[in-house]
Amino acid sequence: MNMEKGAMAKAPSNHVVSAWARLLRARDASLSRIEAELKAAELPPLAWYDVLLELRQAEGGKLRPFELEGRLLLEQHNVSRLIDRMEAKGLVRRIKLADDGRGQAVAITEEGRALQKKMWLVYGPAIEGHVGRKLAASEAATLAGLLQKLL
Amino acid sequence: MNMEKGAMAKAPSNHVVSAWARLLRARDASLSRIEAELKAAELPPLAWYDVLLELRQAEGGKLRPFELEGRLLLEQHNVSRLIDRMEAKGLVRRIKLADDGRGQAVAITEEGRALQKKMWLVYGPAIEGHVGRKLAASEAATLAGLLQKLL
DNA sequence: GAAGATTGATCTATCAATCTTT
DNA sequence: AAAGATTGATAGATCAATCTTC
């Protein structure tokens, strides 16, 4: 019986398949409802919010692209073009680094900080309306704990 | 205090925000790992699997595009082009309906059935390896139950 | 050569408009 | 007009290749 390492996984149980299928559906359904609210408020997509929030929380309001990549689970080329668009809107700006000629830093601007706050005014209530409202407080905590195990 | 209908949602609790953030991350992380396995096996993306599975489970192995749309949470034009690509590969075929001149049905082909089985041989173990393995049996059942509430 | 990041080409997703049948 | 479905145009995502600096 060769069962070493992570290889040789067998077929999943019905409970596991059900959890996986519902993870996909619950995410798609909730996200599309929440994104619809942002869109109705004429705000940009959630990916922009995620970038702005990470930058705002970072030391000095800036991160290097590969750090954003890791935190947002994006790939390098996607980060590159996402930053392009956001820089074009004045939400972030690229800064050359003195100590490493290869790298740059992406810094949030005042406009970026303002947009992040403005988006949260819609995003927060949307999370509450489409997620929080459907769960008891203890259920939300349990769900957060179980999902943590999948990371 | 105007609190009628679904309007006026307030800011979400920390547990709710945490559950939501992890729902997004857990889905992205698990999906990218699982899709990577399909890709390594030179198999098509999961969306194709979903279509094939829905068709196989449907009465007569066929569904109308708008039925697929509802089950897969896709939009009409996306279904239209997804079917285009799958039909080009011989996995499904469009059939004109006698009773409703507007509509068509999408039917799974033998090649489609074969591909669905072949994909499951990789997909099933990938679900077990990236999801099932990280949860106790009772945890998977609890997770499935909580996610159900979000639909 | 490897790390950090970008670019060109291509594929997919999305929006608005269109077409046919009911 | 409404339902079912498709199409043209465009934005975004993905792949492979490239560029610069370490």
Side-chain angles (χ1 to χ4, degrees):
Chain A
M1 289 287 283
N2 180 359
M3 290 290 284
E4 49 183 327
K5 284 296 184 106
M8 295 287 98
K10 281 307 302 165
S13 72
N14 286 342
H15 279 323
V16 168
V17 173
S18 175
W20 173 241
R22 286 178 190 167
L23 175 61
L24 295 178
R25 274 191 79 91
R27 181 269 190 189
D28 284 355
S30 304
L31 184 59
S32 68
R33 292 170 191 144
I34 290 171
E35 290 254 33
E37 294 203 24
L38 287 169
K39 194 174 177 182
E42 300 190 336
L43 291 170
L46 266 189
W48 290 32
Y49 181 86
D50 292 337
V51 170
L52 294 173
L53 186 63
E54 289 295 341
L55 291 179
R56 185 176 75 71
Q57 292 177 337
E59 194 66 37
K62 55 176 183 276
L63 288 171
R64 300 192 49 179
F66 75 91
E67 295 175 308
L68 271 175
E69 180 192 336
R71 299 183 197 211
L72 302 176
L73 303 181
L74 293 174
E75 289 169 65
Q76 260 186 352
H77 40 256
N78 291 333
V79 170
S80 208
R81 290 192 162 128
L82 183 52
I83 299 305
D84 284 347
R85 283 171 244 142
M86 293 181 71
E87 189 171 35
K89 299 284 183 188
L91 302 170
V92 302
R93 66 169 178 279
R94 287 177 163 97
I95 299 173
K96 284 219 166 62
L97 294 181
D99 55 328
D100 187 341
R102 293 172 303 185
Q104 309 191 5
V106 180
I108 189 170
T109 64
E110 279 310 311
E111 294 95 318
R113 289 179 193 273
L115 179 61
Q116 186 270 325
K117 287 199 189 90
K118 192 176 169 192
M119 288 182 80
W120 180 247
L121 294 179
V122 174
Y123 187 25
I127 294 172
E128 178 57 23
H130 297 291
V131 178
R133 180 162 299 184
K134 296 176 177 176
L135 299 170
S138 66
E139 289 176 331
T142 302
L143 179 57
L146 290 172
L147 290 170
Q148 174 79 34
K149 299 194 170 208
L150 299 183
L151 297 182
Chain B
M1 290 289 281
N2 180 358
M3 290 290 282
E4 48 183 328
K5 283 297 182 109
M8 294 287 99
K10 282 305 302 166
S13 71
N14 286 342
H15 279 322
V16 169
V17 172
S18 176
W20 172 242
R22 287 179 190 166
L23 175 61
L24 295 178
R25 273 190 79 91
R27 180 269 191 190
D28 284 356
S30 303
L31 184 60
S32 68
R33 292 170 191 142
I34 289 170
E35 289 254 33
E37 294 203 25
L38 286 170
K39 193 173 175 182
E42 300 189 335
L43 291 170
L46 266 190
W48 290 32
Y49 181 85
D50 292 338
V51 171
L52 293 173
L53 185 64
E54 289 294 343
L55 292 179
R56 185 174 76 70
Q57 292 177 339
E59 194 67 35
K62 55 177 182 275
L63 287 171
R64 299 194 48 179
F66 76 90
E67 294 175 308
L68 269 175
E69 180 192 337
R71 299 181 197 212
L72 301 176
L73 303 180
L74 294 174
E75 289 169 65
Q76 260 187 352
H77 39 256
N78 291 333
V79 169
S80 208
R81 289 192 162 129
L82 184 52
I83 298 305
D84 283 348
R85 283 171 243 143
M86 293 181 71
E87 189 171 34
K89 298 285 183 187
L91 302 170
V92 302
R93 66 168 177 278
R94 287 177 164 97
I95 299 174
K96 285 216 164 66
L97 294 181
D99 55 327
D100 187 341
R102 292 173 303 185
Q104 310 191 3
V106 181
I108 190 169
T109 63
E110 280 309 310
E111 294 95 316
R113 290 179 193 273
L115 179 62
Q116 186 270 325
K117 287 198 188 91
K118 191 176 168 192
M119 289 181 80
W120 181 248
L121 294 179
V122 174
Y123 187 25
I127 294 171
E128 177 58 24
H130 297 291
V131 177
R133 180 162 299 184
K134 296 175 176 174
L135 300 170
S138 66
E139 290 176 332
T142 302
L143 179 57
L146 290 173
L147 290 170
Q148 174 78 36
K149 300 194 169 209
L150 300 183
L151 296 182

